[in-house]
Protein backbone atom coordinates (compact mmCIF):
# COMPACT_ATOMS: atom_id res chain seq x y z
CA UNK A 1 0.00 0.00 0.00
CA UNK A 2 1.54 3.23 -1.14
CA UNK A 3 1.05 6.67 0.35
CA UNK A 4 1.37 9.91 -1.50
CA UNK A 5 2.87 12.99 0.09
CA UNK A 6 1.44 16.37 -0.97
CA UNK A 7 4.07 19.04 -1.20
CA UNK A 8 3.36 22.77 -1.34
CA UNK A 9 5.33 24.85 -3.74
CA UNK A 10 7.79 27.22 -2.09
CA UNK A 11 6.68 30.85 -1.69
CA UNK A 12 8.29 33.25 -4.07
CA UNK A 13 11.24 35.02 -2.62
CA UNK A 14 10.69 38.62 -1.59
CA UNK A 15 12.59 41.26 -3.48
CA UNK A 16 15.90 42.19 -1.98
CA UNK A 17 14.69 45.72 -1.17
CA UNK A 18 11.38 44.63 0.42
CA UNK A 19 10.40 44.42 4.09
CA UNK A 20 10.62 40.83 5.49
CA UNK A 21 7.42 41.30 7.47
CA UNK A 22 5.10 42.52 4.70
CA UNK A 23 6.97 41.72 1.55
CA UNK A 24 6.38 45.24 0.31
CA UNK A 25 9.09 47.66 -0.67
CA UNK A 26 10.08 49.81 2.31
CA UNK A 27 8.93 53.40 2.37
CA UNK A 28 11.93 55.54 1.82
CA UNK A 29 11.94 59.06 3.27
CA UNK A 30 11.69 61.80 0.73
CA UNK A 31 14.90 63.67 0.38
CA UNK A 32 14.67 67.41 0.41
CA UNK A 33 17.33 69.72 -0.75
CA UNK A 34 19.33 71.79 1.68
CA UNK A 35 17.94 74.95 0.13
CA UNK A 36 14.43 74.36 1.59
CA UNK A 37 15.30 74.67 5.32
CA UNK A 38 17.93 77.30 4.52
CA UNK A 39 15.40 79.48 2.71
CA UNK A 40 12.88 79.10 5.55
CA UNK A 41 15.52 80.01 8.16
CA UNK A 42 16.57 83.00 6.08
CA UNK A 43 13.01 84.31 5.84
CA UNK A 44 12.47 83.83 9.60
CA UNK A 45 15.79 85.52 10.41
CA UNK A 46 15.10 88.53 8.18
CA UNK A 47 11.58 88.89 9.59
CA UNK A 48 12.85 88.70 13.18
CA UNK A 49 15.56 91.28 12.44
CA UNK A 50 13.01 93.58 10.81
CA UNK A 51 10.75 93.32 13.88
CA UNK A 52 13.57 93.75 16.42
CA UNK A 53 15.55 96.48 14.67
CA UNK A 54 13.51 99.40 16.11
CA UNK A 55 13.84 97.90 19.58
CA UNK A 56 17.59 97.48 19.16
CA UNK A 57 17.90 101.08 18.04
CA UNK A 58 15.85 102.19 21.05
CA UNK A 59 18.13 100.24 23.39
CA UNK A 60 21.39 101.71 22.09
CA UNK A 61 19.96 105.22 21.68
CA UNK A 62 18.71 105.27 25.27
CA UNK A 63 22.18 104.58 26.63
CA UNK A 64 23.98 107.62 25.13
CA UNK A 65 23.86 111.33 25.81
CA UNK A 66 22.21 113.90 23.58
CA UNK A 67 25.44 114.71 21.72
CA UNK A 68 25.92 111.11 20.63
CA UNK A 69 22.19 110.76 19.91
CA UNK A 70 22.17 113.65 17.44
CA UNK A 71 25.43 112.41 15.87
CA UNK A 72 24.22 108.75 15.75
CA UNK A 73 27.41 107.76 17.56
CA UNK A 74 25.92 104.95 19.63
CA UNK A 75 28.95 102.74 20.24
CA UNK A 76 31.36 105.17 21.85
CA UNK A 77 31.54 104.19 25.53
CA UNK A 78 32.61 107.69 26.49
CA UNK A 79 29.05 108.85 25.71
CA UNK A 80 27.36 106.21 27.90
CA UNK A 81 24.70 108.05 29.93
CA UNK A 82 21.88 105.59 30.59
CA UNK A 83 21.48 106.36 34.29
CA UNK A 84 21.85 110.08 33.71
CA UNK A 85 19.06 109.90 31.13
CA UNK A 86 16.80 108.04 33.55
CA UNK A 87 17.46 110.61 36.27
CA UNK A 88 16.73 113.50 33.92
CA UNK A 89 13.56 111.77 32.74
CA UNK A 90 12.20 111.34 36.25
CA UNK A 91 13.06 114.91 37.23
CA UNK A 92 11.62 116.62 34.14
CA UNK A 93 8.56 118.82 34.74
CA UNK A 94 8.39 117.91 38.44
CA UNK A 95 8.09 114.18 37.82
CA UNK A 96 5.44 114.37 35.10
CA UNK A 97 6.65 111.08 33.61
CA UNK A 98 5.90 109.18 36.81
CA UNK A 99 2.38 110.64 36.92
CA UNK A 100 1.79 109.61 33.32
CA UNK A 101 3.17 106.17 34.07
CA UNK A 102 0.79 105.75 36.98
CA UNK A 103 -2.13 106.93 34.86
CA UNK A 104 -1.27 104.41 32.15
CA UNK A 105 -1.10 101.60 34.69
CA UNK A 106 -4.49 102.63 36.04
CA UNK A 107 -6.12 102.87 32.63
CA UNK A 108 -4.49 99.75 31.17
CA UNK A 109 -4.33 97.31 34.09
CA UNK A 110 -7.61 98.37 35.70
CA UNK A 111 -9.47 98.68 32.42
CA UNK A 112 -8.11 95.40 31.07
CA UNK A 113 -8.91 93.47 34.26
CA UNK A 114 -12.51 94.72 34.49
CA UNK A 115 -13.04 94.67 30.73
CA UNK A 116 -11.79 91.09 30.41
CA UNK A 117 -14.16 90.05 33.20
CA UNK A 118 -17.10 91.73 31.42
CA UNK A 119 -16.17 90.12 28.10
CA UNK A 120 -15.71 86.70 29.71
CA UNK A 121 -19.05 86.81 31.51
CA UNK A 122 -20.84 88.05 28.37
CA UNK A 123 -19.32 85.31 26.23
CA UNK A 124 -20.24 82.72 28.86
CA UNK A 125 -23.87 83.92 28.83
CA UNK A 126 -24.04 83.82 25.05
CA UNK A 127 -22.72 80.26 25.05
CA UNK A 128 -24.61 78.66 27.94
CA UNK A 129 -28.00 80.41 27.98
CA UNK A 130 -30.89 80.88 25.59
CA UNK A 131 -32.80 84.17 25.65
CA UNK A 132 -34.87 86.32 23.36
CA UNK A 133 -32.83 88.20 20.78
CA UNK A 134 -29.66 86.19 21.39
CA UNK A 135 -28.68 85.78 17.76
CA UNK A 136 -29.40 89.37 16.62
CA UNK A 137 -27.56 90.75 19.64
CA UNK A 138 -24.51 88.58 19.02
CA UNK A 139 -24.60 89.55 15.34
CA UNK A 140 -24.60 93.21 16.43
CA UNK A 141 -21.53 92.54 18.58
CA UNK A 142 -19.75 90.95 15.62
CA UNK A 143 -20.62 93.92 13.43
CA UNK A 144 -19.25 96.32 16.07
CA UNK A 145 -15.89 94.54 15.86
CA UNK A 146 -15.44 96.06 12.39
CA UNK A 147 -16.15 99.62 13.56
CA UNK A 148 -12.87 101.56 14.09
CA UNK A 149 -12.39 103.02 17.54
CA UNK A 150 -11.51 106.42 16.07
CA UNK A 151 -15.01 106.68 14.58
CA UNK A 152 -16.55 106.35 18.04
CA UNK A 153 -14.19 108.75 19.83
CA UNK A 154 -16.07 111.96 19.03
CA UNK A 155 -19.57 110.58 19.85
CA UNK A 156 -18.20 109.21 23.12
CA UNK A 157 -16.72 112.62 23.94
CA UNK A 158 -20.07 114.33 23.33
CA UNK A 159 -21.78 111.75 25.53
CA UNK A 160 -19.15 112.11 28.27
CA UNK A 161 -19.49 115.90 28.09
CA UNK A 162 -23.26 115.69 28.55
CA UNK A 163 -22.74 113.43 31.58
CA UNK A 164 -20.08 115.69 33.07
CA UNK A 165 -17.35 113.03 32.74
CA UNK A 166 -15.14 114.78 30.18
CA UNK A 167 -11.57 115.45 31.32
CA UNK A 168 -11.83 112.86 34.09
CA UNK A 169 -10.37 109.42 34.65
CA UNK A 170 -13.79 107.88 33.92
CA UNK A 171 -13.89 109.34 30.42
CA UNK A 172 -10.93 107.10 29.50
CA UNK A 173 -11.77 104.09 31.66
CA UNK A 174 -15.45 103.52 30.85
CA UNK A 175 -15.17 103.35 27.02
CA UNK A 176 -12.46 100.64 27.15
CA UNK A 177 -14.45 98.30 29.40
CA UNK A 178 -16.47 96.86 26.52
CA UNK A 179 -14.54 94.87 23.93
CA UNK A 180 -16.68 93.20 21.22
CA UNK A 181 -13.83 91.01 20.03
CA UNK A 182 -13.26 89.90 23.62
CA UNK A 183 -16.91 88.81 23.87
CA UNK A 184 -16.52 86.74 20.72
CA UNK A 185 -13.32 85.12 22.03
CA UNK A 186 -14.92 84.43 25.39
CA UNK A 187 -17.82 82.61 23.75
CA UNK A 188 -15.38 80.40 21.84
CA UNK A 189 -13.41 79.68 25.01
CA UNK A 190 -16.58 78.86 26.93
CA UNK A 191 -17.70 76.42 24.26
CA UNK A 192 -14.28 74.71 24.29
CA UNK A 193 -13.48 74.65 28.00
CA UNK A 194 -16.75 74.47 29.95
CA UNK A 195 -18.81 71.27 29.45
CA UNK A 196 -22.52 71.56 30.07
CA UNK A 197 -22.39 68.46 32.29
CA UNK A 198 -20.15 70.22 34.79
CA UNK A 199 -22.59 73.12 35.12
CA UNK A 200 -25.48 70.69 35.53
CA UNK A 201 -23.59 68.99 38.35
CA UNK A 202 -23.04 72.36 40.02
CA UNK A 203 -26.76 73.17 39.77
CA UNK A 204 -27.66 69.77 41.24
CA UNK A 205 -25.37 70.56 44.18
CA UNK A 206 -27.40 73.71 44.83
CA UNK A 207 -25.21 76.39 43.22
CA UNK A 208 -27.03 79.26 41.56
CA UNK A 209 -25.99 80.60 38.16
CA UNK A 210 -23.76 83.35 39.54
CA UNK A 211 -21.87 80.97 41.81
CA UNK A 212 -21.61 78.40 39.02
CA UNK A 213 -19.92 81.00 36.85
CA UNK A 214 -17.41 82.27 39.42
CA UNK A 215 -16.69 78.90 41.06
CA UNK A 216 -16.71 76.66 37.99
CA UNK A 217 -16.97 78.47 34.67
CA UNK A 218 -14.50 81.30 35.27
CA UNK A 219 -11.86 78.94 36.62
CA UNK A 220 -12.16 76.62 33.63
CA UNK A 221 -11.83 79.47 31.12
CA UNK A 222 -8.93 81.14 32.93
CA UNK A 223 -6.70 80.87 29.80
CA UNK A 224 -9.38 82.72 27.87
CA UNK A 225 -9.60 85.45 30.51
CA UNK A 226 -5.82 85.94 30.47
CA UNK A 227 -5.74 86.03 26.66
CA UNK A 228 -8.46 88.68 26.53
CA UNK A 229 -6.73 90.58 29.36
CA UNK A 230 -3.45 90.73 27.42
CA UNK A 231 -5.16 91.87 24.24
CA UNK A 232 -6.97 94.66 26.07
CA UNK A 233 -3.88 95.58 28.09
CA UNK A 234 -1.89 96.10 24.91
CA UNK A 235 -4.68 98.05 23.21
CA UNK A 236 -5.33 100.36 26.17
CA UNK A 237 -1.63 100.90 26.91
CA UNK A 238 -1.04 102.03 23.32
CA UNK A 239 -4.30 103.98 23.11
CA UNK A 240 -3.70 107.53 21.96
CA UNK A 241 -6.70 109.03 20.19
CA UNK A 242 -9.27 108.48 22.96
CA UNK A 243 -7.19 110.25 25.68
CA UNK A 244 -6.37 112.99 23.18
CA UNK A 245 -10.07 113.69 22.67
CA UNK A 246 -11.19 113.22 26.26
CA UNK A 247 -8.42 114.85 28.32
CA UNK A 248 -7.14 118.40 28.55
CA UNK A 249 -5.52 118.17 32.00
CA UNK A 250 -1.87 117.10 31.64
CA UNK A 251 -1.92 115.47 35.08
CA UNK A 252 -4.38 112.89 33.70
CA UNK A 253 -2.39 112.10 30.55
CA UNK A 254 -1.27 108.52 29.89
CA UNK A 255 2.24 107.85 28.63
CA UNK A 256 1.29 107.89 24.97
CA UNK A 257 -0.21 111.37 25.21
CA UNK A 258 2.47 112.68 27.57
CA UNK A 259 5.31 111.63 25.27
CA UNK A 260 3.41 113.17 22.37
CA UNK A 261 3.28 116.50 24.20
CA UNK A 262 7.06 116.34 24.69
CA UNK A 263 7.49 115.51 21.02
CA UNK A 264 5.50 118.61 20.12
CA UNK A 265 7.80 120.71 22.31
CA UNK A 266 11.04 119.07 21.08
CA UNK A 267 11.58 121.34 18.02
CA UNK A 268 11.69 124.30 20.41
CA UNK A 269 13.61 122.52 23.17
CA UNK A 270 15.83 119.72 21.78
CA UNK A 271 16.51 118.45 25.30
CA UNK A 272 13.22 116.58 25.07
CA UNK A 273 14.54 114.22 22.38
CA UNK A 274 16.67 112.00 24.66
CA UNK A 275 13.87 112.07 27.24
CA UNK A 276 11.41 110.73 24.68
CA UNK A 277 13.80 107.95 23.70
CA UNK A 278 14.42 106.69 27.23
CA UNK A 279 10.77 107.26 28.10
CA UNK A 280 9.66 105.09 25.18
CA UNK A 281 12.02 102.34 26.28
CA UNK A 282 10.71 102.31 29.85
CA UNK A 283 7.14 102.35 28.54
CA UNK A 284 7.69 98.90 27.05
CA UNK A 285 8.48 97.24 30.38
CA UNK A 286 4.92 96.56 31.64
CA UNK A 287 3.90 94.87 28.40
CA UNK A 288 7.04 92.72 28.32
CA UNK A 289 6.63 91.73 31.97
CA UNK A 290 2.93 90.90 31.49
CA UNK A 291 3.59 88.67 28.49
CA UNK A 292 6.47 86.88 30.20
CA UNK A 293 4.53 86.22 33.41
CA UNK A 294 1.29 85.16 31.72
CA UNK A 295 2.66 83.40 28.64
CA UNK A 296 1.75 79.90 29.79
CA UNK A 297 -1.90 80.98 30.00
CA UNK A 298 -2.26 82.82 26.72
CA UNK A 299 -0.22 80.26 24.78
CA UNK A 300 -2.58 77.50 25.89
CA UNK A 301 -5.53 79.80 25.22
CA UNK A 302 -4.50 80.47 21.63
CA UNK A 303 -4.59 76.72 20.87
CA UNK A 304 -8.00 76.13 22.48
CA UNK A 305 -10.12 73.77 20.43
CA UNK A 306 -7.33 72.84 18.02
CA UNK A 307 -6.95 69.30 19.44
CA UNK A 308 -9.83 67.08 20.46
Amino acid sequence: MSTSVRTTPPAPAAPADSSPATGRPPVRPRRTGWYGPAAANLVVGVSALYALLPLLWLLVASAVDSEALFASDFFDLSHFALFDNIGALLAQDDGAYLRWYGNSLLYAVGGAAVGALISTSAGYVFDKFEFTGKRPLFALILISVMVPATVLALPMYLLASDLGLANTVWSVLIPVLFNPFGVYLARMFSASYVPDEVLEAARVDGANELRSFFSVGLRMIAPGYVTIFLFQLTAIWNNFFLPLVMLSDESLYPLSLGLYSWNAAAPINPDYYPLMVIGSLLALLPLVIAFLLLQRYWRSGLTAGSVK
Side-chain angles (χ1 to χ4, degrees):
M1 185 175 180
S2 62
T3 60
S4 59
V5 179
R6 181 178 295 178
T7 60
T8 58
D17 58 347
S18 64
S19 172
T22 61
R24 298 177 180 176
V27 178
R28 296 178 178 177
R30 180 182 298 178
R31 294 182 179 180
T32 58
W34 61 270
Y35 51 84
N41 292 333
L42 179 61
V43 171
V44 172
V46 172
S47 301
L49 181 62
Y50 177 79
L52 294 177
L53 191 59
L55 179 60
L56 294 177
W57 183 90
L58 194 62
L59 285 172
V60 296
S62 300
V64 297
D65 55 20
S66 57
E67 180 182 353
L69 178 63
F70 294 133
S72 297
D73 188 11
F74 299 141
F75 301 102
D76 188 355
L77 296 180
S78 62
H79 293 287
F80 181 81
L82 176 62
F83 301 106
D84 294 336
N85 291 338
I86 295 177
L89 173 69
L90 300 181
Q92 183 68 33
D93 295 339
D94 298 327
Y97 184 81
L98 290 179
R99 292 196 302 271
W100 298 338
Y101 215 102
N103 294 336
S104 291
L105 289 175
L106 174 63
Y107 300 146
V109 178
V114 178
L117 181 60
I118 294 175
S119 298
T120 304
S121 57
Y124 173 86
V125 169
F126 274 111
D127 177 50
K128 300 304 179 185
F129 296 93
E130 294 293 335
F131 52 89
T132 304
K134 172 181 175 179
R135 291 188 177 182
L137 183 58
F138 190 72
L140 181 62
I141 291 176
L142 293 180
I143 293 174
S144 62
V145 173
M146 298 180 290
V147 178
T150 53
V151 175
L152 302 176
L154 185 58
M156 285 190 294
Y157 171 76
L158 296 177
L159 182 60
S161 180
D162 291 340
L163 296 176
L165 298 177
N167 197 30
T168 64
V169 172
W170 301 109
S171 63
V172 179
L173 267 178
I174 294 177
V176 300
L177 295 181
F178 177 70
N179 181 10
F181 184 66
V183 176
Y184 168 76
L185 281 182
R187 183 176 182 178
M188 298 301 104
F189 279 114
S190 177
S192 300
Y193 279 93
V194 186
D196 295 335
E197 295 79 7
V198 176
L199 297 179
E200 288 295 333
R203 296 187 185 105
V204 170
D205 291 338
N208 56 28
E209 298 299 340
L210 192 61
R211 183 171 182 181
S212 297
F213 170 69
F214 284 102
S215 300
V216 179
L218 186 58
R219 294 186 179 184
M220 299 183 74
I221 56 177
Y225 174 84
V226 174
T227 303
I228 298 171
F229 171 81
L230 287 175
F231 283 154
Q232 287 200 249
L233 177 70
T234 305
I236 299 172
W237 187 267
N238 296 324
N239 195 5
F240 170 77
F241 193 68
L242 180 65
L244 178 64
V245 172
M246 292 291 186
L247 302 176
S248 59
D249 187 358
E250 288 191 3
S251 63
L252 299 177
Y253 281 3
L255 276 177
S256 58
L257 194 55
L259 292 176
Y260 172 78
S261 65
W262 281 358
N263 181 65
I268 301 175
N269 186 2
D271 292 338
Y272 280 116
Y273 282 116
L275 300 182
M276 288 188 299
V277 173
I278 188 64
S280 300
L281 178 64
L282 296 182
L284 297 176
L285 293 181
L287 297 181
V288 173
I289 293 174
F291 272 87
L292 290 178
L293 293 179
L294 302 175
Q295 62 177 336
R296 67 187 184 96
Y297 292 101
W298 69 265
R299 287 178 63 183
S300 62
L302 291 177
T303 57
S306 60
V307 179
K308 291 292 184 181

